[in-house]
Amino acid sequence: MSGHDQVGRRAFVVGAGAALLTAQAAGAQAEAAVVDGPLPDFHPALKAELTFPLAWGRSPVRDFRAWRRAARATVEEHLLVPRQDGTPYAPEFTPGPEGDGYTRESVTLSLTRHERVRAALLTPHGPGPFPAVLLLHDHGAKFDIGKEKLVRPWYDDTRLASARAWADKYFTGRFVGDELARRGYVVLCADALGWGDRGPVTYDQQQALASNFYNLGSSLAGLMAREDARAAGFLAGLDRVDRRRIAAVGFSMGAFRAWQTAALSDDIAATAAVCWMTGLKEMMVPGNNTLRGQSSYYMLHPGLPRFLDFPDVASIAAPRPMLFFDGGLDPLFPADGVRAAHDRLRTVWRSRHAEERLHLKSWPDLGHVFVDRMQDEVFGWLDTVL
């Protein structure tokens, strides 16, 4: 072998070794690129960039009503689903058996221009008009029942058995909607897409469902937000309802839906949200349920955290009365995130001289539940504010 060939061979070997080392380093970097849950290994830097510049007090808009309009417009832009105000509800009512002091009906209506949705509607006996509750069901990774989690189903024995087990697990055996109707409230409760009549989706299908919405230029979470706001408008338009006295009430994902609806709709006069409020940064930590994906897609509006945190969105409803409960033992919402969110909410309501309209409470001995004593306090609070 010539000297020239030997130099070339050495150069090739050295180059190959360098390439191998480079590939190994790249492999090591690739292995380290996703960590903890999974999070990108640079997630602290991403979190540090979230300053929520449109939050009340940080926003350059100093007039609160103007801020509310701007903040709501920002949320609506990130829903990726157009407003549906021009779509007629065209309700069709089907009577059910009488309840204990209230009537039951199924109502089928158009919450969007795309499909008809069946909801449960309970109306107290008496002349009315009555105060009303838009009741919003949870997620729970249980899709065979939606509205049936909160309103006792009179139309399906299989769902009734499943709903009773759910009520026993989370609601001390009560159907919250029926309890509210007995107390004199009109109650409307509909399935979100994927539950009950509109499902059941499977746990593993949620991400595919959400990504298909994104590929179609739309959003699963945005659809749910728009439908809930439209349901509030339908409830406000019923002759039997006093439109000045409508509350949004929900547990878990239903709580998220409740304060989100209050932020998007002026038809909601008060809100009770049980076990869903936190700061985004405090929630995005290793081990949190949100990091698993799937279920979180129902509450994920891409890009919105570049402008507003969760309590900032809820604050769009200020200074209307709002109640937030959390369980001190709730594994889904770490205590520091709850405290951060409550502090933020308190600051906003205080700035409106309306702190007495904000009811924040942690139940130190409870987890992710909405048990009878929590319900009784919510019912009493609703009686007071409505």
Side-chain angles (χ1 to χ4, degrees):
M1 180 181 295
S2 70
H4 182 273
D5 290 338
Q6 289 175 344
V7 171
R9 178 176 173 81
R10 285 197 300 270
F12 172 80
V13 171
V14 171
L20 179 60
L21 290 173
T22 301
Q24 289 172 340
Q29 289 173 353
E31 291 174 359
V34 177
V35 297
D36 290 335
L39 282 167
D41 59 359
F42 49 90
H43 68 89
L46 295 179
K47 288 171 68 172
E49 292 171 2
L50 295 178
T51 60
F52 311 116
L54 292 191
W56 173 246
R58 297 192 189 101
S59 168
V61 180
R62 298 304 182 188
D63 176 80
F64 191 76
R65 293 192 180 195
W67 173 80
R68 288 183 72 238
R69 290 192 296 270
R72 179 181 287 180
T74 298
V75 175
E76 291 191 334
E77 178 184 354
H78 287 82
L79 298 183
L80 307 182
V81 175
R83 294 173 65 94
Q84 307 288 314
D85 296 347
T87 302
Y89 290 108
E92 298 176 355
F93 299 90
T94 303
E98 288 293 306
D100 179 15
Y102 57 94
T103 61
R104 297 182 174 108
E105 294 174 278
S106 291
V107 56
T108 303
L109 67 160
S110 298
L111 294 179
T112 68
R113 64 180 181 272
H114 300 296
E115 65 174 331
R116 306 277 285 165
V117 176
R118 186 172 69 136
L121 180 63
L122 309 180
T123 304
H125 292 163
F130 303 99
V133 170
L134 176 64
L135 197 55
L136 300 154
H137 69 73
D138 60 71
H139 188 293
K142 184 172 178 60
F143 302 98
D144 62 312
I145 52 174
K147 59 188 178 296
E148 295 84 7
K149 295 177 178 181
L150 295 168
V151 174
R152 187 182 189 275
W154 61 89
Y155 41 79
D156 189 315
D157 289 341
T158 300
R159 290 190 191 179
L160 176 58
S162 184
R164 279 176 169 160
W166 198 253
D168 288 342
K169 184 175 182 179
Y170 290 105
F171 309 131
T172 322
R174 289 175 169 180
F175 286 98
V176 175
D178 297 71
E179 295 290 331
L180 285 163
R182 275 191 283 270
R183 295 181 68 103
Y185 292 89
V186 173
V187 175
L188 178 70
C189 189
D191 296 319
L193 182 64
W195 281 268
D197 293 336
R198 306 177 72 190
V201 72
T202 65
Y203 184 86
D204 292 340
Q205 288 174 333
Q206 293 175 94
Q207 182 172 321
L209 179 63
S211 68
N212 289 335
F213 266 89
Y214 292 147
N215 278 324
L216 293 168
S218 190
S219 165
L220 177 60
L223 175 73
M224 187 169 71
R226 289 296 194 197
E227 289 187 344
D228 291 343
R230 280 272 292 174
F234 171 74
L235 192 54
L238 292 175
D239 291 341
R240 70 192 78 177
V241 169
D242 181 349
R243 66 177 308 135
R244 300 165 301 172
R245 296 190 292 156
I246 300 174
V249 177
F251 160 69
S252 192
M253 183 186 76
F256 175 98
R257 297 168 67 191
W259 55 255
Q260 178 174 256
T261 304
L264 293 172
S265 171
D266 293 331
D267 292 314
I268 300 300
T271 305
V274 179
C275 291
W276 212 116
M277 177 48 69
T278 184
L280 173 63
K281 291 185 179 183
E282 291 80 9
M283 185 174 70
M284 297 298 293
V285 294
N288 188 275
N289 186 62
T290 301
L291 272 60
R292 297 168 63 187
Q294 297 293 0
S295 303
S296 63
Y297 278 93
Y298 277 97
M299 293 156 280
L300 193 159
H301 303 302
L304 184 58
R306 290 188 289 116
F307 303 97
L308 297 162
D309 199 356
F310 299 126
D312 303 323
V313 175
S315 295
I316 296 171
R320 284 174 274 165
M322 298 191 87
L323 174 151
F324 294 89
F325 282 171
D326 77 282
L329 304 178
D330 190 338
L332 301 181
F333 299 97
D336 58 342
V338 173
R339 282 193 299 270
H342 284 188
D343 288 347
R344 182 74 198 127
L345 293 164
R346 194 177 291 110
T347 297
V348 177
W349 263 257
R350 186 182 297 133
S351 77
R352 301 295 89 213
H353 309 289
E355 195 171 357
E356 74 282 355
R357 297 184 183 179
L358 183 66
H359 188 33
L360 306 173
K361 183 172 179 177
S362 180
W363 300 73
D365 61 326
L366 296 176
H368 195 71
V369 293
F370 186 21
V371 295
D372 51 2
R373 53 194 164 114
M374 302 170 87
Q375 294 169 36
D376 290 341
E377 190 163 326
V378 167
F379 299 157
W381 180 82
L382 288 173
D383 292 344
T384 299
V385 300
L386 293 182

